[in-house]
């Protein structure tokens, strides 16, 4: 009798495990199904989300690369414009020297013309046989010579001022060179910003890939946990049945089916 009771005790454990599995399945079958579906969806969604994030980051990186390439060309153009401005400025300096030399010669000629016109005016006005028209022409010639000298002296002062400014500022002090230098500075600043944007975009790509991998890994882990929970009750049944012989297993199943 004791042996029978011991045998039934093992069968009772098996029947209890079967009942617990049945109860658990009834309680959790729908939930488990939902969890399995949800976990599978979560994995798929994580993969899609990761792909979209990486694609978006790659698009931003491509845009940043285009801006950086453009900034390189803008810097080259600005450097060429600055070099051209300096060449023109040097020509301006040489032109000032030439104009000063031309003005000096014109002043010498003007002094001589004024002297001759004055001498002629005095001679005509002193000539009793000179006509009024001749006297008037002599006066006009003298006044024009004086006016020419006045203009040449004003030009002399202007050229001297330009030369002082040139000597003080040099090539880099001219307006065209300053403008070209400002353009180059702006292009260099824009290139720096574009490079930093490109660097940040590359980091965003790496971050998106790493985040996506973590999201997929976590979704897969949760999916595995869900499957483990669904199979836990079966492990209990297997453990209980492992303690029974073939006849005991059949009897346990018979009792469970009643």
């Amino acid at each position: 009798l004791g042996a029978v009771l011991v045998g039934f005790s093992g069968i009772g454990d098996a029947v209890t495990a079967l009942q617990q599995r049945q109860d658990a399945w009834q309680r959790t079958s729908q939930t488990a199904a939902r969890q399995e579906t949800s976990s599978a969806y979560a994995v798929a969604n994580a993969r899609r989300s990761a792909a979209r994030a990486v694609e978006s980051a790659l698009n931003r990186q491509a845009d940043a690369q285009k801006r950086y390439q453009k900034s390189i060309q803008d810097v080259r153009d600005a450097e060429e414009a600055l070099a051209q401005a300096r060449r023109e400025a040097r020509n301006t300096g040489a032109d000032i020297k030439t104009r000063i030399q031309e003005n000096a010669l014109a002043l010498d000629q003007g002094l001589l013309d004024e002297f001759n016109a004055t001498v002629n005016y005095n001679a005509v006005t002193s000539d009793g046989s000179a006509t009024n028209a001749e006297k008037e022409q002599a006066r006009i010639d003298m006044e024009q010579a004086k006016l020419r000298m006045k203009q040449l002296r004003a030009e002399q002062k202007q050229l001297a001022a330009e030369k002082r400014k040139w000597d003080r500022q040099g090539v880099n002090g001219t307006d065209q060179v300053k403008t070209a230098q400002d353009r180059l500075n702006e292009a260099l600043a824009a290139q720096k910003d574009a490079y930093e944007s490109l660097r940040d975009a590359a980091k965003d790509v790496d971050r998106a890939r790493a985040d996506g991998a973590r999201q997929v890994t976590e979704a897969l882990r949760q999916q595995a946990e869900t499957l483990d929970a669904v199979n836990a009750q079966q492990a209990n049944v297997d453990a209980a049945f492992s303690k029974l012989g073939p006849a005991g297993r059949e009897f346990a199943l018979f009792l469970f089916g009643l």
Side-chain angles (χ1 to χ4, degrees):
L1 179 60
V4 172
L5 290 175
V6 171
F8 271 96
S9 176
I11 292 173
D13 290 341
V15 172
T16 299
L18 286 169
Q19 187 61 50
Q20 288 176 345
R21 183 186 67 174
Q22 180 68 22
D23 293 342
W25 280 0
Q26 288 177 351
R27 288 193 308 269
T28 63
S29 60
Q30 293 182 352
T31 301
R34 287 195 299 269
Q35 288 176 339
E36 288 186 45
T37 301
S38 177
S39 63
Y41 175 79
V43 171
N45 187 58
R47 286 171 174 161
R48 286 193 297 269
S49 177
R52 287 194 297 268
V54 171
E55 182 181 8
S56 178
L58 287 172
N59 288 337
R60 292 194 298 272
Q61 184 183 42
D63 291 340
Q65 181 68 38
K66 291 178 182 178
R67 290 195 298 272
Y68 181 62
Q69 291 298 328
K70 182 179 182 300
S71 72
I72 293 176
Q73 186 59 50
D74 290 343
V75 169
R76 290 174 180 169
D77 293 343
E79 288 174 341
E80 177 57 32
L82 178 59
Q84 179 63 29
R86 284 175 173 163
R87 287 192 293 269
E88 293 176 356
R90 283 191 290 270
N91 291 337
T92 299
D95 182 60
I96 290 175
K97 293 180 181 179
T98 300
R99 288 164 59 198
I100 288 175
Q101 293 173 349
E102 291 175 347
N103 176 261
L105 290 175
L107 280 170
D108 291 341
Q109 184 62 53
L111 283 172
L112 182 58
D113 292 343
E114 182 182 13
F115 173 77
N116 291 332
T118 301
V119 169
N120 181 63
Y121 172 75
N122 292 333
V124 171
T125 55
S126 299
D127 184 359
S129 63
T131 64
N132 290 334
E134 290 173 338
K135 293 178 180 179
E136 182 62 16
Q137 185 62 56
R139 184 191 68 79
I140 292 174
D141 291 342
M142 182 182 66
E143 293 297 333
Q144 285 181 336
K146 290 180 178 181
L147 178 60
R148 175 60 178 161
M149 282 300 298
K150 183 178 180 180
Q151 293 172 340
L152 288 172
R153 289 191 178 99
E155 182 182 5
Q156 183 185 41
K157 291 181 180 180
Q158 178 183 352
L159 289 171
E162 290 182 16
K163 186 176 185 304
R164 286 193 299 270
K165 180 180 179 182
W166 175 261
D167 292 341
R168 182 175 64 255
Q169 296 180 346
V171 170
N172 293 330
T174 61
D175 291 339
Q176 60 266 39
V177 172
K178 287 181 179 179
T179 299
Q181 185 64 61
D182 290 342
R183 177 187 172 187
L184 176 58
N185 292 340
E186 291 174 359
L188 289 170
Q191 184 183 48
K192 180 181 177 182
D193 292 341
Y195 175 77
E196 292 176 353
S197 296
L198 179 59
R199 182 187 59 191
D200 293 342
K203 291 180 179 179
D204 288 343
V205 170
D206 293 338
R207 188 180 301 110
R209 286 171 173 163
D211 291 345
R214 282 193 295 270
Q215 291 173 4
V216 172
T217 300
E218 177 62 19
L220 289 171
R221 184 189 65 79
Q222 292 178 1
Q223 185 183 46
E225 289 180 353
T226 299
L227 294 175
D228 289 343
V230 171
N231 296 326
Q233 292 299 327
Q234 182 61 44
N236 293 335
V237 172
D238 292 342
F241 268 59
S242 67
K243 299 176 183 178
L244 300 175
R249 293 171 187 168
E250 290 181 5
F251 188 52
L253 292 171
F254 170 74
L255 292 176
F256 176 71
L258 291 178

